[in-house]
Amino acid sequence: MKKLVKVILVMGLSVPILTACWNQKELTDLAFVMALGIDKGEDDLYHVSFQLVNPGNVSAGQGGGGQGLPIAVYKSTGRTMTEAARNATKEVSRRLYYAHTNVVVVSEELAKDRTQFLNLLDSFARDPEFRTTTEILVARDASAEEIVTTLTILDKLPVSKITKEIKSTEAMKGENFSISIDDLIDGIVGSGKEPVLNGYQLIGMKEEANKAENLQKTTTDAFLTADGLAVIKDGALIDWIESKKSRGVLWVLDKAKSTDITLKWKGKKNALSIVPIRSKTKVSTIFKQGKPVINIKIENEGWLSEANTAIDLMDPKTIGKIEKLTEKAIKKEVQISVKEAKRLKCDIFGFGDVVHKANPDLWKKLERDWNNYFSDLEVNVKVDSYLRREGVRTNPFWSDINK
């Protein structure tokens, strides 16, 4: 009896180490989907473009990759995303694998169709293999297919160019910022704040964008670029905030890491350039006669990156004047963005969230009609800006030339 117990115990303990990976997949059996382009077709069909990586043609070594193209794009259609993905297996010899998908591009037409757009988001949120931290953007004045089939020079994988460019423009320009599928869904289902998405354009000769010859040139005939913010209201695209007006959105959302502020000095245009190095935005509310009033407070520190005029930077009064001009410029950008959002009757700043936290009882009364209320909301902007340094020199050589 003891022998039997020992045998059973040994067998039982051996089971965990004898089991294999029940769902293992060989790399050679997988097709890594790096980006998805989704357009709206006739009869409400999804037209899906799958950007797949060609591993043999993408190498991190100094010897470079193979002679072929770094990506392959397969197209499929379906009444649902599931059907489109399954239909793609008729063309692709490997199993489509979405764990490394970095970008989803949707066309303007599809983003404007609320039902199709929300159905699309449901498929992403429901799939356990798909990461909802994936970047999502809208193809502007182009099809999603055109965006994901464009070849790029500096980055072998076009999807890398897009993700890096968004991070770069967020850090250096302050007109776009990273937005994931999670961010979009949270904005749609929540109240008090509507989401925005980055717009992406294909500039130049579109018919040349996906040709291999582009990779052999120092300049391309067509290139991808971030352009504007798509405003999403009630689960669908309603309009755009242009790039020049979108910077104020990032100021309010506290996403403006850095940018360039060009100032006029004594009648000379483009005389001074200020680059923010640190900024902090605080949005609060007070109540006047039972009505919310939004106060935006921005604290900014920057440095003088250009002085294209004779100016005495050793004079504290001059520094004070530059700081005031910078404050005025930032305030104007914020006011322009707020005005645009009010025109669209769409609270993309989250002012509703601020009111909700400050006065939950009042929010219950305003919530259902908040976007209409938002269009007449009083918004005050205060900016404090400080010039911390002037670069590696003080007075510009213009001062010596004019002596």
Side-chain angles (χ1 to χ4, degrees), residues 222-246:
F223 61 92
L224 298 172
T225 181
D227 183 41
L229 294 175
V231 179
I232 308 297
K233 184 178 180 181
D234 297 327
L237 169 65
I238 61 166
D239 210 335
W240 292 88
I241 293 181
E242 302 297 336
S243 294
K244 292 181 180 179
K245 298 178 181 180
S246 65

Side-chain angles (χ1 to χ4, degrees), residues 6 39 50 82 94 193 197 217 228 245 299 302 325 384:
K6 288 180 180 179
D39 293 292
F50 301 85
T82 302
R94 302 182 181 187
K193 184 180 179 181
L197 291 177
K217 300 177 180 179
K245 298 178 181 180
E299 292 185 0
L325 288 173
D384 291 325

Side-chain angles (χ1 to χ4, degrees), residues 163-380:
T163 54
K164 289 178 182 178
E165 193 169 80
I166 290 175
K167 290 178 181 177
S168 177
T169 188
E170 178 180 355
M172 303 300 294
K173 189 64 179 173
E175 293 179 356
N176 298 85
F177 63 102
S178 183
I179 303 162
S180 69
I181 293 173
D182 268 337
D183 296 329
L184 175 59
I185 293 174
D186 288 345
I188 290 173
V189 301
S191 61
K193 184 180 179 181
E194 301 288 354
V196 293
L197 291 177
N198 293 304
Y200 241 80
Q201 276 192 324
L202 177 57
I203 305 297
M205 301 170 63
K206 295 183 179 181
E207 64 276 7
E208 301 294 323
N210 60 359
K211 293 184 178 180
E213 290 82 358
N214 264 341
L215 301 180
Q216 308 301 320
K217 300 177 180 179
T218 55
T219 59
T220 60
D221 296 317
F223 61 92
L224 298 172
T225 181
D227 183 41
L229 294 175
V231 179
I232 308 297
K233 184 178 180 181
D234 297 327
L237 169 65
I238 61 166
D239 210 335
W240 292 88
I241 293 181
E242 302 297 336
S243 294
K244 292 181 180 179
K245 298 178 181 180
S246 65
R247 194 153 61 177
V249 177
L250 272 74
W251 281 114
V252 178
L253 295 178
D254 200 20
K255 298 284 188 180
K257 297 178 181 179
S258 187
T259 186
D260 57 286
I261 301 169
T262 305
L263 305 175
K264 182 193 293 187
W265 185 260
K266 293 185 177 179
K268 183 176 181 179
K269 294 182 179 180
N270 309 320
L272 304 173
S273 287
I274 308 297
V275 173
I277 52 178
R278 278 182 295 274
S279 66
K280 182 67 178 176
T281 301
K282 182 180 180 182
V283 179
S284 60
T285 184
I286 59 175
F287 299 91
K288 292 181 179 178
Q289 299 177 347
K291 296 182 178 181
V293 175
I294 298 296
N295 293 320
I296 301 172
K297 174 71 181 297
I298 299 174
E299 292 185 0
N300 175 66
E301 299 178 49
W303 69 287
L304 184 68
S305 64
E306 283 188 56
N308 301 320
T309 186
I311 186 172
D312 185 6
L313 295 173
M314 300 294 289
D315 185 356
K317 292 183 179 179
T318 299
I319 299 299
K321 290 178 181 178
I322 294 174
E323 291 174 340
K324 293 298 180 185
L325 288 173
T326 305
E327 292 170 358
K328 186 177 179 181
I330 295 173
K331 182 177 180 178
K332 184 178 179 181
E333 288 183 355
V334 172
Q335 289 174 329
I336 288 173
S337 295
V338 171
K339 184 178 179 181
E340 276 294 288
K342 283 186 172 183
R343 177 183 67 83
L344 299 173
K345 294 184 177 182
C346 192
D347 180 7
I348 59 176
F349 307 106
F351 294 158
D353 284 340
V354 176
V355 174
H356 183 197
K357 292 174 182 176
N359 193 332
D361 292 333
L362 178 61
W363 175 248
K364 288 180 181 178
K365 299 177 182 177
L366 300 176
E367 182 178 3
R368 289 189 177 182
D369 200 36
W370 173 249
N371 279 319
N372 285 324
Y373 190 93
F374 163 77
S375 62
D376 295 318
L377 188 66
E378 182 181 342
V379 179
N380 301 314

Side-chain angles (χ1 to χ4, degrees), residues 95-108:
R95 181 184 179 278
L96 297 176
Y97 188 63
Y98 300 95
H100 295 282
T101 304
N102 290 324
V103 169
V104 172
V105 185
V106 297
S107 66
E108 277 189 82

Side-chain angles (χ1 to χ4, degrees), residues 106-208:
V106 297
S107 66
E108 277 189 82
E109 188 181 7
L110 178 58
K112 289 177 180 178
D113 188 319
R114 184 176 185 271
T115 300
Q116 271 203 294
F117 193 39
L118 294 181
N119 290 344
L120 176 71
L121 296 178
D122 179 82
S123 68
F124 292 142
R126 198 173 295 277
D127 190 337
E129 192 176 272
F130 197 92
R131 294 179 297 111
T132 50
T133 54
T134 297
E135 194 89 27
I136 183 167
L137 50 92
V138 180
R140 189 174 186 187
D141 299 327
S143 67
E145 178 188 338
E146 289 173 328
I147 299 295
V148 300
T149 56
T150 297
L151 297 173
T152 55
I153 298 176
L154 192 57
D155 297 285
K156 282 207 167 187
L157 293 177
V159 68
S160 298
K161 182 240 190 325
I162 293 174
T163 54
K164 289 178 182 178
E165 193 169 80
I166 290 175
K167 290 178 181 177
S168 177
T169 188
E170 178 180 355
M172 303 300 294
K173 189 64 179 173
E175 293 179 356
N176 298 85
F177 63 102
S178 183
I179 303 162
S180 69
I181 293 173
D182 268 337
D183 296 329
L184 175 59
I185 293 174
D186 288 345
I188 290 173
V189 301
S191 61
K193 184 180 179 181
E194 301 288 354
V196 293
L197 291 177
N198 293 304
Y200 241 80
Q201 276 192 324
L202 177 57
I203 305 297
M205 301 170 63
K206 295 183 179 181
E207 64 276 7
E208 301 294 323

